[in-house]
């Protein structure tokens, strides 16, 4: 491993000591941060100061999304989705939807951005329409022979507009076909998966859990899931977040102890350890375009239980 780089900047403000979710806006001039008190802090990255704050109750902000129709979608811990619109400098809460399920699982936007995947009770994933704001469809595994052993929905990841990967508490990863409402493939992984990511270009994914192991899996051309190898990480008790960088060169793993480890994505070769955070890392994101303020193409932002945000320029 090489010597770790220093962060480009540390954002500190009057945020809660738990910051759960991050999102760059489309031109990467603003960074949204959702905290444990239910407040979304909008940081201006030109001056590195909070410009706006949005709040609707005290339920923690577990994930943030942006679409063409809504300027910001906030998934909250206690089963609420808030939709905000902005006009010049004025933010308006245009809709609040209660899907009535409290979970630690993050919602996900479908690729066409017309629906949100949300966790529901009894191992079900709901498809929440952003047009009607109703649960229009459900991925319900109850009829499977092992359906009662799946447990809570832990993590969701769209592969295409029709294919969805879902990880369950019992350790099983299922590939769903939305159009047919059926399971295409199943992989029995480690129990209590906490996070995973998947790269369509390499058809490769990575799973983290409450153990010291990262599990790499692949998807074949006929959509069969299969185990590739395990990567043991020393002195780790749990993985909280995994993010593959958009250029597919690096994967970042955030752990319960505050460390962020960087690996090469193809072979999972260790590259560096970032020790800036003092407690559990809750979220890691990358910019999707050049960030002029920091002169980098892929700005990485990380946050967690210590209540601040670190910004990184990692290996161009």
């Amino acid at each position: 491993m090489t010597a770790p780089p220093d962060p480009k900047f540390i954002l500190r403000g009057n945020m809660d000591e738990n910051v759960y979710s991050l999102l760059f806006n489309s031109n990467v001039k603003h960074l949204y941060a959702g905290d444990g008190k239910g407040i979304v802090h909008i940081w201006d990255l030109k001056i590195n100061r909070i410009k706006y704050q949005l709040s609707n109750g005290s339920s923690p902000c577990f994930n943030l999304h942006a679409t063409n129709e809504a300027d910001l979608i906030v998934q909250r811990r206690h089963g609420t989705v808030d939709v905000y619109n902005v006009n010049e400098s004025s933010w308006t809460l245009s809709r609040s939807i209660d899907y009535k399920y409290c979970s630690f699982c993050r919602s996900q936007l479908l690729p066409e951005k017309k629906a949100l995947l949300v966790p529901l009770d009894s191992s079900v994933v709901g498809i929440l329409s952003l047009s009607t704001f109703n649960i229009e469809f459900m991925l319900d595994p109850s009829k499977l022979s092992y359906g009662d052993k799946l447990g809570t929905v832990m993590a969701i990841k769209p592969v295409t507009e029709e294919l969805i990967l879902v990880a369950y508490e019992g350790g099983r990863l299922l590939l769903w076909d939305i159009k047919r409402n059926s399971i295409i493939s199943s992989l029995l992984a480690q129990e209590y998966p906490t996070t995973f990511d998947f790269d369509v270009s390499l058809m490769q994914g990575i799973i983290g859990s409450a153990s010291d192991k990262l599990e790499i899996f692949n998807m074949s051309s006929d959509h069969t899931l299969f185990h590739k190898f395990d990567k043991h990480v020393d002195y780790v008790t749990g993985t909280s977040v995994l993010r593959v960088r958009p250029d597919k060169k690096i994967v970042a793993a955030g752990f319960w102890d505050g460390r962020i480890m960087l690996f090469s994505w193809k072979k999972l070769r260790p590259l560096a350890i970032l020790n800036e955070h003092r407690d559990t890392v809750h979220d890691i994101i990358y910019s999707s375009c050049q960030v002029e303020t920091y002169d980098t193409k892929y700005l990485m932002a990380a946050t967690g239980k210590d209540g601040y945000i670190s910004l990184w320029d990692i290996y161009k």
Side-chain angles (χ1 to χ4, degrees), residues 39-286:
I39 301 172
V40 179
H41 306 266
I42 303 177
W43 288 84
D44 185 332
L45 293 180
K46 285 190 175 181
I47 58 175
N48 293 323
R49 292 182 182 276
I50 294 174
K51 193 171 185 180
Y52 307 105
Q53 292 178 316
L54 311 176
S55 179
N56 181 31
S58 58
S59 183
C61 305
F62 261 33
N63 215 0
L64 305 172
H65 310 282
T67 70
N68 297 330
E69 290 77 21
D71 295 289
L72 185 64
I73 297 174
V74 183
Q75 176 213 8
R76 299 186 181 277
R77 165 84 168 90
H78 296 99
T80 304
V81 171
D82 290 335
V83 181
Y84 290 90
N85 294 110
V86 63
N87 183 10
E88 295 181 352
S89 60
S90 177
W91 286 86
T92 303
L93 176 63
S94 62
R95 196 90 184 199
S96 188
I97 309 105
D98 186 0
Y99 60 89
K100 303 184 188 323
Y101 183 64
C102 185
S103 170
F104 289 100
C105 177
R106 295 174 185 266
S107 59
Q108 297 293 329
L109 267 179
L110 282 175
E112 74 277 10
K113 297 185 177 181
K114 295 180 180 179
L116 200 64
L117 299 165
V118 295
L120 299 176
D121 198 10
S122 303
S123 309
V124 174
V125 173
I127 300 178
L128 175 66
S129 168
L130 295 177
S131 300
T132 66
F133 300 103
N134 293 320
I135 300 289
E136 299 287 351
F137 197 70
M138 290 190 293
L139 305 177
D140 185 354
S142 60
K143 294 182 179 179
L144 298 174
S145 60
Y146 49 79
D148 60 342
K149 299 178 181 178
L150 288 173
T152 303
V153 175
M154 300 296 289
I156 308 166
K157 177 77 176 181
V159 178
T160 66
E161 290 184 9
E162 297 181 355
L163 301 180
I164 308 296
L165 282 166
V166 183
Y168 300 85
E169 181 184 10
R172 197 173 290 269
L173 183 71
L174 298 183
L175 177 63
W176 285 88
D177 184 324
I178 293 180
K179 191 174 182 180
R180 299 178 181 178
N181 195 9
S182 62
I183 305 294
I184 298 177
S185 185
S186 170
L187 176 68
L188 190 57
Q190 51 195 320
E191 290 186 348
Y192 307 110
T194 51
T195 180
F196 76 92
D197 203 358
F198 186 79
D199 168 20
V200 177
S201 64
L202 291 180
M203 298 297 275
Q204 176 171 289
I206 181 170
I207 304 171
S209 70
S211 73
D212 63 351
K213 182 171 65 174
L214 299 175
E215 185 171 352
I216 309 302
F217 67 95
N218 284 111
M219 185 188 300
S220 65
S221 57
D222 65 354
H223 299 131
T224 300
L225 301 172
F226 60 94
H227 176 82
K228 189 175 181 182
F229 66 88
D230 291 333
K231 178 72 176 182
H232 289 272
V233 185
D234 293 334
Y235 312 113
V236 164
T237 57
T239 308
S240 49
V241 58
L242 292 162
R243 291 288 184 269
V244 178
R245 200 167 71 175
D247 64 354
K248 318 303 182 186
K249 292 182 179 180
I250 289 173
V251 58
F255 297 105
W256 292 357
D257 63 2
R259 285 183 296 166
I260 298 172
M261 293 192 69
L262 306 175
F263 301 91
S264 64
W265 176 223
K266 288 187 178 180
K267 297 184 178 179
L268 232 66
R269 179 173 58 88
L271 299 176
I273 300 175
L274 310 181
N275 291 305
E276 189 63 37
H277 290 273
R278 302 186 302 272
D279 211 328
T280 303
V281 179
H282 288 317
D283 204 4
I284 298 172
I285 62 169
Y286 306 96

Side-chain angles (χ1 to χ4, degrees), residues 4-25:
D6 293 324
K8 298 288 284 186
F9 204 85
I10 301 295
L11 301 177
R12 305 176 190 270
N14 61 336
M15 299 185 293
D16 183 60
E17 60 185 20
N18 269 300
V19 180
Y20 286 106
S21 51
L22 297 172
L23 176 71
F24 287 116
N25 71 338

